[in-house]
Amino acid sequence: IPLLRRALAMSKRPLLLFASPWTAPAWMKSNGDVRGKGTLKGKAGDKYHKTWANYFIKFLDEYAKHNVTFWAVTAQNEPLAGLFTPPQAPTIAFTAAQQRDFIAQDLGPALTRSPHRTRLLMLDDQRIHLPHWAKVVLGNATAARYVAGLAVHWYLDAIVPPGCSLEATHKLFPDHFLLYTEACTGFFMF
């Protein structure tokens, strides 16, 4: 919070902050650990999914107490990477259908009911998953109305041309923006 306040004070224009979760508490996950390849227990609409959605609201509430607001949140950081990450990495695995249902039944309604005007971003993973992921989530009218845009990572961009992923997705869903949310250099050793 002190670093965010310093950055906000130094900026000549407002900063738009977004947050992206890595994992739910261990008791909510299928593997009983914040690390590893677990999913949320149960299915969308149940107590685990509703509680996880409420964690987002509590997060926003606590930061708001310190006059820090978030422009957006993502439903999950690298939801498919959760299937492939090393066992010590904190993550939750979601398929596109699981993320769609979580957004439609739990997270979208929770954000809408909250006092926060925070936008919701979906995917937050490699663009190699587009346009499939968008078709599954945004193809559902209920989920689509809660989603403002798609968060995309760039690590596997050399594998998939932008026309096949970003352009194709934009043509299908022009009312939802595409935003690169994570990138770094030196990801591949070669």
Side-chain angles (χ1 to χ4, degrees):
I1 292 172
L3 289 174
L4 285 174
R5 283 189 178 150
R6 284 177 55 198
L8 292 165
M10 292 170 51
S11 179
K12 291 182 168 85
R13 58 180 179 236
L15 294 179
L16 300 177
L17 304 175
F18 79 93
S20 186
W22 279 59
T23 188
W27 66 268
M28 297 174 72
K29 288 182 58 187
S30 61
N31 67 344
D33 195 331
V34 296
R35 300 162 299 172
K37 298 168 177 63
T39 60
L40 283 179
K41 289 180 181 175
K43 60 183 182 176
D46 70 10
K47 67 180 182 178
Y48 296 103
H49 288 71
K50 296 242 179 275
T51 301
W52 183 230
N54 287 329
Y55 266 69
F56 283 73
I57 307 310
K58 293 292 187 186
F59 169 87
L60 296 170
D61 290 345
E62 292 303 313
Y63 273 87
K65 289 177 184 177
H66 298 278
N67 294 318
V68 176
T69 59
F70 287 84
W71 166 74
V73 293
T74 73
Q76 175 60 39
N77 179 63
E78 296 187 350
L80 278 180
L83 300 174
F84 308 109
T85 56
Q88 57 276 53
T91 188
I92 303 173
F94 276 99
T95 64
Q98 289 168 327
Q99 188 173 84
R100 174 199 62 212
D101 296 346
F102 175 58
I103 288 170
Q105 296 180 43
D106 306 296
L107 185 54
L111 281 169
T112 300
R113 285 189 308 269
S114 82
H116 307 286
R117 298 297 57 132
T118 305
R119 296 172 183 225
L120 178 58
L121 308 181
M122 57 164 275
L123 184 58
D124 207 17
D125 209 330
Q126 312 308 316
R127 80 172 193 211
I128 197 170
H129 304 304
L130 294 175
H132 168 73
W133 200 279
K135 288 178 182 177
V136 172
V137 177
L138 298 178
N140 177 284
T142 303
R145 80 167 182 254
Y146 295 119
V147 174
L150 292 85
V152 185
H153 297 184
W154 81 329
Y155 305 109
L156 304 177
D157 280 6
I159 297 171
V160 177
C164 297
S165 56
L166 300 176
E167 188 176 340
T169 302
H170 177 67
K171 284 180 181 177
L172 290 168
F173 305 102
D175 295 333
H176 292 83
F177 61 83
L178 296 154
L179 177 68
Y180 271 98
T181 55
E182 185 177 318
C184 72
T185 59
F187 176 70
F188 289 113
M189 297 302 225
F190 51 86

